[in-house]
């Protein structure tokens, strides 16, 4: 029996020794597996970090593009406002020139009226002088019938000139009324 116990004890020790050697092998495999898992986790984390960095860069790029668009829109609005102001300025200048032209036309029309009135007065004075001269020559009786007729024709011509001057005055007055 002692032999059986000794043999059993030896067998147990050998089995124990056998199992003891297997355990370190498993630990090595587990450590390798753990290292592989750790490396895969690091790669996954690195990949996620890179993806996050890419997302952040894209987001920053979009924000930069939006900011650029806002700047461009602001510049466009400023150009449009400047164009509008320039256009209004030109319109004001046109209105001013138009007003000045109208004032000039009005002043010219008034000058024409005054000129026509002066012309009528001048023509009437000439008619009076011619009439007085003709009457004086008639009263002396030195004129022949042909000279009398020439004098009457000259007086009639002067009266026609006065009528034309009056018509010119009327036209100038009508033009002045239209301009006012």
């Amino acid at each position: 029996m002692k032999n059986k116990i000794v043999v059993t004890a030896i067998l147990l020790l050998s089995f124990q020794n056998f199992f003891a050697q297997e355990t370190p092998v498993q630990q090595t495999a587990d450590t390798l597996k753990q290292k592989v898992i750790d490396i895969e986790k690091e790669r996954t984390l690195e990949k996620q970090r890179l993806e996050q960095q890419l997302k952040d860069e894209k987001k920053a790029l979009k924000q930069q593009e939006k900011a650029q668009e806002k700047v461009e829109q602001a510049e466009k609005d400023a150009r449009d406002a400047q164009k509008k102001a320039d256009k209004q300025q030109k319109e004001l200048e046109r209105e001013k020139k138009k007003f000045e032209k109208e004032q000039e036309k009005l002043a010219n029309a008034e000058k024409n009226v005054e000129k026509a009135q002066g012309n009528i007065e001048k023509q009437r004075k000439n008619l009076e002088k011619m009439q007085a001269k003709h009457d004086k020559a008639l009263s002396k009786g030195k004129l022949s019938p042909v000279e009398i007729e020439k004098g009457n024709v000259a007086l009639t011509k002067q009266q026609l000139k006065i009528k034309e001057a009056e018509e010119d005055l009327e036209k100038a007055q009508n033009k002045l009324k239209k301009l006012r």
Side-chain angles (χ1 to χ4, degrees):
M1 196 75 203
K2 267 186 170 181
N3 283 339
K4 280 184 181 181
I5 293 180
V6 171
V7 173
T8 311
I10 291 176
L11 279 174
L12 282 176
L13 283 174
S14 54
F15 278 115
Q16 193 177 25
N17 196 15
F18 178 73
F19 285 119
Q21 288 179 356
E22 284 184 16
T23 306
V25 174
Q26 284 181 343
Q27 286 180 352
T28 306
D30 287 343
T31 306
L32 288 177
K33 286 181 183 178
Q34 187 64 29
K35 286 182 181 179
V36 170
I37 290 172
D38 288 344
I39 291 173
E40 287 179 8
K41 283 183 181 180
E42 286 179 19
R43 286 182 184 168
T44 306
L45 289 174
E46 182 68 21
K47 185 178 178 181
Q48 288 175 351
R49 187 183 61 78
L50 289 174
E51 287 175 353
Q52 185 63 35
Q53 185 179 1
L54 182 63
K55 285 180 185 178
D56 292 343
E57 288 176 0
K58 284 183 180 180
K59 189 175 182 180
L61 184 62
K62 283 183 182 180
Q63 289 176 347
Q64 199 175 29
E65 288 175 354
K66 285 182 181 179
Q68 183 66 25
E69 286 176 6
K70 285 182 181 180
V71 167
E72 289 174 358
Q73 185 64 34
E75 289 173 354
K76 182 181 177 186
D77 291 344
R79 284 192 305 266
D80 290 346
Q82 183 64 35
K83 285 180 183 178
K84 189 174 182 181
D86 291 344
K87 189 175 182 180
Q88 287 177 345
Q89 182 67 27
K90 286 180 182 179
E91 188 64 32
L92 287 174
E93 289 175 5
R94 282 188 204 131
E95 291 294 325
K96 184 179 177 183
K97 285 181 182 179
K98 185 177 178 183
F99 179 74
E100 289 174 356
K101 282 184 179 181
E102 288 176 3
Q103 292 299 320
E104 191 175 313
K105 285 181 181 180
L106 186 63
N108 286 339
E110 288 174 351
K111 285 181 185 177
N112 287 340
V113 168
E114 291 175 12
K115 187 176 178 181
Q117 288 173 342
N119 190 17
I120 289 173
E121 289 178 22
K122 183 179 175 182
Q123 295 296 336
R124 285 187 179 160
K125 285 181 183 178
N126 285 342
L127 178 64
E128 288 174 9
K129 285 181 183 178
M130 289 174 74
Q131 186 76 36
K133 191 176 182 182
H134 186 65
D135 288 343
K136 190 176 183 181
L138 278 176
S139 64
K140 287 184 181 179
K142 295 183 180 178
L143 295 177
S144 66
V146 173
E147 291 175 340
I148 292 173
E149 280 302 313
K150 282 184 180 179
N152 286 339
V153 168
L155 289 174
T156 306
K157 282 183 180 179
Q158 190 62 29
Q159 287 174 344
L160 284 174
K161 285 182 182 179
I162 291 172
K163 290 288 182 187
E164 288 174 1
E166 287 175 349
E167 288 175 3
D168 290 343
L169 174 65
E170 204 173 301
K171 288 178 183 176
Q173 286 175 339
N174 286 338
K175 186 175 181 181
L176 182 63
K177 286 179 185 178
K178 286 180 182 179
L179 292 175
R180 287 187 179 170

